[in-house]
Amino acid sequence: MDSGGGVGEVSVHGYSVGVYDMTDPVAARRAAIAAEKERLARARERRSREPAGANGFAQRKWRWLGVNGGEAVEAVLAMLRDIVEVSALTADQRDTLSRAVGGTPDREALLPAVRAGLSALKPEDVLGHLRALWAAEVRWLNAPGSERCRILCSTAPGLELVGTRSRVVSGGPAFSLFVTAATRGAIPVPNTVLTQVLPWAPLSVLDDLVDHGGLMAEDEPWQARDGNEALYLRARLAPKSVDLHEAERLGWHSMLRRRAFLAGETIVRQEPEDVWDLLYDVVRDLQLPSLDALDAALPRAQQIELRDLRSGAFVGQWDGETVRDEGLWKLMAALWRPTAPVDPRRSDFYALVALNRAYDLLRTGDLEEARRQAESFVRERTNGPSLPTGLMDEAYTIAAYLTAVTSTDVENDRAAREQLALAETYAQKAAANGDPVAERNLAHVRTWKGTTKNKRGEMANPFLELGLHHGAQGWDRHCRDLFRQYEHEGDQAAQARLNRAEGRIHDAERHEAGYDVFFQVPLDRARYELPDAVPRRLVPPLEPMSRRTALTSGADLESIRALAAVELLDDFRSTAPHLDRHGPTR
């Protein structure tokens, strides 16, 4: 305003009027009248744009039914127009709805008619109308229904529900499933309604329940599904019930690889290598550098077993269950390097280790230690378990060979003959079961015993002297390699022994009897082999098949939400809540 009282324009309650001098009381009154006229004109213009039924008089009628404000009335009228022509309505219900659309809602009869009309709509249409009513703050549901409606109409129900999961979320089957789907399984479906949702729930929601322990094998959800879905749920919850053909149908590779390993089949390697590749490498092929990788790949229980096995190898001590698992024997023997004779009567495993130790010492030339180990078998005992006949025959054969061969080292012929007599005793026991090789060995010992010392000749088996198995192929190439080695080392004595052994083999090859002219150890090499079995204690248990479904889609969630909205119709009030009919309109 001009301080000099000149012509100006002022705003009265938001309306602009021209005045001459606001210090003049007459001018001020005229300005106020003009401002009121302009306000009334604008109000008339606004009312003229409002649809019929949304005026103040109509809003006061609707307030009796808990509908407060123009937006709420419009939401209700839109719903009424959608359901008034539903064929499932009775004549009275249709008349009630028509009168409400016309601006005369019946407080007593309207809500039951609305519920009947909504019940005939598609679930997605019901959801749309309930969302509109909720947004307009029309509360035509009872208290529990209003709480469920609030959750259904929330834009992020999962976050909201997880934050209040201590409260029991109750409701119908569809609502319970919606809560589960919205929280990705964090809130399970109550057992009381579980069987009702299993036939139609999206598979991804069932996977959510499985992941959170809300669906168990005892629930047998596969009974409610068909075909591949039923098989998939069995693989997820009851993997042991899935047979080989079903696993192939599912393409369940981890189970197929496990079964192949347990069956002793050669498995196809994959990249990156998995626990089955590593088990095969370590237990079957004895690739000890892969032990740490296997340790990292095994589940905790089997990891502990492997670590106990490795620690036991330092002293050759394992618990009874481990020793009884024949599939572990190869690995245990590979890890254990005994430095003293092994007691073969502790178990069949220790007997095999002791027999192999005696034979390995024999081939490496440590005849004294080999003899000590062999004596652990043949020593007379009054107690302890008996050993398998085959192993004892092999032990007696080694003892006979060592006793005979070392007889040349004694001081006089009498002692040598006594030692050969002991070798004959061992050889007789080895041949007691009629093995032809053992009988031939016995004949060799008897011949040596009956021959004077000067005429006995070489008794040692040249193959064993060379560190080879009896009759080994490629022995001549091995001899050339050894000769070059001894030549490099300047060991002429070793070269001479090598030449003698090589010459004896050549002579035997020209002999009619061939290599049978030598005392043969072992009788049967197969008896020295450790079992090629599956290591039961290191095999991980069959785990349920991994989830194959993606997270529940928005479309599936909306479908469940719509079905849950239909359930809310059971919570519809029969009479509307009362609001102050004289309250201000919106």
Side-chain angles (χ1 to χ4, degrees):
M1 182 176 63
D2 190 313
S3 60
V7 178
E9 187 172 308
V10 298
S11 175
V12 180
H13 300 295
Y15 301 98
S16 297
V17 294
V19 297
Y20 290 95
D21 185 356
M22 294 304 294
T23 59
D24 184 354
V26 175
R29 185 170 180 274
R30 288 175 180 171
I33 293 172
E36 178 64 13
K37 287 181 178 180
E38 184 173 349
R39 185 188 69 79
L40 293 174
R42 294 193 181 204
R44 283 193 300 271
E45 182 181 358
R46 185 173 62 253
R47 285 196 299 272
S48 67
R49 291 197 302 267
E50 290 180 347
N55 55 52
F57 179 73
Q59 289 181 30
R60 286 184 175 86
K61 288 185 178 180
W62 279 108
R63 195 174 290 114
W64 277 103
L65 286 92
V67 183
N68 189 20
E71 292 181 5
V73 172
E74 283 306 306
V76 171
L77 290 175
M79 176 187 65
L80 296 178
R81 295 187 189 104
D82 195 18
I83 65 177
V84 70
E85 299 299 331
V86 169
S87 60
L89 294 173
T90 65
D92 288 344
Q93 289 171 336
R94 186 173 289 106
D95 180 63
T96 298
L97 295 175
S98 298
R99 285 189 285 110
V101 172
T104 311
D106 187 319
R107 176 175 171 80
E108 300 299 329
L110 181 60
L111 266 61
V114 168
R115 175 184 174 183
L118 288 175
S119 299
L121 296 181
K122 295 178 180 179
E124 55 268 24
D125 294 332
V126 175
L127 175 61
H129 288 307
L130 289 183
R131 275 175 162 163
L133 294 181
W134 183 263
E137 298 185 8
V138 178
R139 303 296 184 254
W140 283 355
L141 298 170
N142 58 27
S146 293
E147 175 62 14
R148 287 191 280 274
C149 189
R150 181 186 66 80
I151 293 171
L152 286 179
C153 295
S154 172
T155 55
L159 297 175
E160 178 183 10
L161 289 166
V162 170
T164 58
R165 60 182 303 179
S166 59
R167 296 187 302 172
V168 177
V169 180
S170 60
F175 181 79
S176 298
L177 189 66
F178 173 77
V179 170
T180 293
T183 58
R184 295 183 180 176
I187 299 179
V189 175
N191 290 334
T192 53
V193 299
L194 182 60
T195 56
Q196 299 177 55
V197 303
L198 285 176
W200 59 271
L203 196 58
S204 59
V205 181
L206 298 187
D207 264 337
D208 289 337
L209 286 169
V210 171
D211 291 342
H212 284 81
L215 195 59
M216 310 292 287
E218 50 265 32
D219 297 319
E220 297 186 343
W222 52 85
Q223 299 287 359
R225 308 299 277 242
D226 296 327
N228 288 335
E229 288 190 350
L231 179 56
Y232 173 76
L233 289 171
R234 273 202 293 125
R236 292 277 285 139
L237 290 167
K240 291 183 179 179
S241 71
V242 178
D243 61 33
L244 179 60
H245 297 297
E246 290 173 329
E248 290 174 345
R249 203 169 103 204
L250 282 170
W252 189 1
H253 298 297
S254 60
M255 180 183 184
L256 293 173
R257 288 172 66 78
R258 182 179 187 274
R259 292 206 173 191
F261 183 85
L262 289 173
E265 301 172 5
T266 301
I267 58 175
V268 179
R269 295 193 71 86
Q270 66 178 31
E271 293 294 339
E273 59 190 6
D274 63 2
V275 66
W276 308 110
D277 291 323
L278 293 168
L279 272 172
Y280 199 95
D281 290 345
V282 172
V283 180
R284 305 290 291 276
D285 290 347
L286 299 180
Q287 296 181 20
L288 300 186
S290 298
L291 270 169
D292 290 338
L294 175 61
D295 181 279
L298 286 172
R300 183 59 179 166
Q302 286 68 43
Q303 189 181 65
I304 292 173
E305 293 284 352
L306 179 61
R307 293 178 181 179
D308 288 344
L309 186 148
R310 296 176 73 174
S311 62
F314 286 107
V315 292
Q317 294 281 355
W318 296 276
D319 64 82
E321 290 298 321
T322 299
V323 173
R324 282 188 286 272
D325 188 346
E326 294 187 1
L328 296 174
W329 287 6
K330 278 188 174 181
L331 180 58
M332 292 159 63
L335 292 172
W336 183 26
R337 290 290 180 265
T339 56
V342 176
D343 184 359
R345 301 188 186 274
R346 292 177 62 184
S347 73
D348 288 351
F349 165 72
Y350 288 100
L352 272 173
V353 170
L355 187 65
N356 276 282
R357 182 173 184 268
Y359 180 55
D360 291 341
L361 289 168
L362 187 159
R363 287 194 300 120
T364 57
D366 192 348
L367 303 187
E368 183 58 35
E369 189 64 25
R371 186 173 180 178
R372 288 180 58 208
Q373 182 62 75
E375 287 175 350
S376 67
F377 283 89
V378 302
R379 189 181 305 117
E380 293 293 335
R381 299 197 184 198
T382 58
N383 55 8
S386 59
L387 294 173
T389 300
L391 292 188
M392 287 304 301
D393 288 349
E394 296 293 342
Y396 278 123
T397 297
I398 293 177
Y401 176 80
L402 290 169
T403 304
V405 168
T406 57
S407 67
T408 59
D409 299 331
V410 298
E411 297 178 353
N412 55 65
D413 188 57
R414 179 180 177 182
R417 288 184 180 278
E418 290 177 353
Q419 198 158 321
L420 284 173
L422 180 59
E424 181 183 12
T425 300
Y426 292 150
Q428 281 179 324
K429 291 184 178 182
N433 295 305
D435 186 288
V437 177
E439 290 177 347
R440 192 164 56 245
N441 288 340
L442 175 59
H444 285 311
V445 175
R446 284 175 173 171
T447 299
W448 296 332
K449 180 183 174 185
T451 306
T452 60
K453 182 177 181 181
N454 295 334
K455 296 182 180 180
R456 282 177 194 147
E458 293 280 354
M459 287 185 282
N461 184 312
F463 288 102
L464 299 178
E465 285 186 304
L466 295 172
L468 299 172
H469 298 296
H470 176 79
Q473 297 291 324
W475 64 270
D476 49 348
R477 184 173 60 255
H478 178 71
C479 286
R480 288 192 296 271
D481 293 340
L482 278 179
F483 190 87
R484 283 192 292 268
Q485 177 186 334
Y486 294 150
E487 187 176 38
H488 177 73
E489 295 171 354
D491 191 343
Q492 295 180 352
Q495 284 179 301
R497 288 194 302 271
L498 177 62
N499 287 332
R500 287 196 300 271
E502 188 176 6
R504 293 180 64 207
I505 294 174
H506 280 303
D507 290 342
E509 290 179 336
R510 291 190 292 268
H511 197 282
E512 182 180 352
Y515 298 150
D516 290 348
V517 298
F518 305 130
F519 190 108
Q520 182 175 331
V521 181
L523 302 176
D524 183 356
R525 283 180 58 189
R527 294 171 179 168
Y528 288 71
E529 295 177 0
L530 284 90
D532 194 13
V534 175
R536 301 288 172 178
R537 290 174 69 81
L538 288 186
V539 173
L542 178 61
E543 296 291 338
M545 190 172 73
S546 300
R547 175 175 182 157
R548 292 184 174 180
T549 60
L551 297 177
T552 304
S553 67
D556 282 341
L557 188 62
E558 283 303 298
S559 176
I560 302 171
R561 194 196 304 254
L563 294 173
V566 174
E567 291 178 348
L568 288 184
L569 298 182
D570 293 337
D571 296 310
F572 234 70
R573 298 169 62 111
S574 57
T575 57
H578 179 69
L579 299 178
D580 181 8
R581 66 179 296 185
H582 299 295
T585 60
R586 260 191 262 174

